[in-house]
């Protein structure tokens, strides 16, 4: 059974940084693709960053230059390093995964099969 467990969220002041982690277990994907998504109460969930099995990455325009997605393949941990945080980044952050021999899901959340429970990020001004 695939499990994704996020951690690293918290409260920071504007301009601060955080690193989110997502520990993945229980899967044997031939072509793992993973991503970070976020959602605020009452809003649509949106894609933040994604990384495919080749290490190719994609980012939402709103986080380019501030967020970096990376993956520790040996330990099956996905990271999201966030800097220059602002209050608009305050959301619940979710990690997601899918086996993607068919291509790159990128930030299209409907293409991901497995989701974590989320970790809250709160940025105060």
């Amino acid at each position: 059974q695939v499990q994704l467990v996020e951690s690293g969220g918290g409260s920071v002041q504007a301009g601060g940084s955080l690193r989110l982690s997502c520990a993945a277990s229980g899967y044997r994907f031939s072509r793992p693709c993973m991503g970070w998504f976020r959602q605020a109460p009452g809003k649509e969930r949106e894609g933040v960053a994604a990384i495919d099995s080749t290490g190719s990455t994609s980012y939402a325009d709103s986080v380019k230059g501030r967020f970096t997605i990376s993956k520790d393949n040996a330990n099956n941990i996905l990271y999201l390093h966030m800097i220059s945080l602002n209050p608009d980044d305050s959301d619940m952050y979710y990690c997601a995964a899918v086996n993607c021999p068919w291509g790159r899901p990128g930030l299209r959340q409907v293409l991901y099969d497995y989701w974590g429970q989320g970790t809250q990020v709160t940025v105060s001004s």
Side-chain angles (χ1 to χ4, degrees):
Q1 182 177 355
V2 176
Q3 284 193 320
L4 303 174
V5 179
E6 302 96 334
S7 62
S11 297
V12 296
Q13 290 191 325
S17 62
L18 283 173
R19 188 180 75 164
L20 305 183
S21 300
C22 172
S25 62
Y27 72 81
R28 295 292 183 266
F29 292 169
S30 59
R31 294 285 188 271
C33 291
M34 301 188 76
W36 287 99
F37 296 80
R38 64 186 183 184
Q39 186 173 24
K43 292 188 177 181
E44 295 281 328
R45 187 162 53 188
E46 63 172 353
V48 175
I51 185 167
D52 68 17
S53 59
T54 69
S56 178
T57 58
S58 55
Y59 295 92
D61 288 342
S62 59
V63 307
K64 281 180 182 176
R66 300 189 299 122
F67 290 12
T68 303
I69 189 171
S70 62
K71 190 169 180 288
D72 177 350
N73 290 315
N75 295 297
N76 290 331
I77 301 176
L78 180 72
Y79 296 104
L80 184 67
H81 187 206
M82 308 183 292
I83 65 171
S84 301
L85 286 162
N86 61 65
D88 288 339
D89 296 315
S90 296
D91 281 315
M92 184 71 81
Y93 283 71
Y94 300 90
C95 97
V98 65
N99 189 30
C100 55
W102 37 264
R104 298 173 179 175
L107 301 180
R108 293 168 290 177
Q109 56 180 300
V110 296
L111 298 178
Y112 288 84
D113 290 334
Y114 303 98
W115 293 83
Q117 294 300 305
T119 186
Q120 179 68 42
V121 172
T122 302
V123 184
S124 57
S125 56

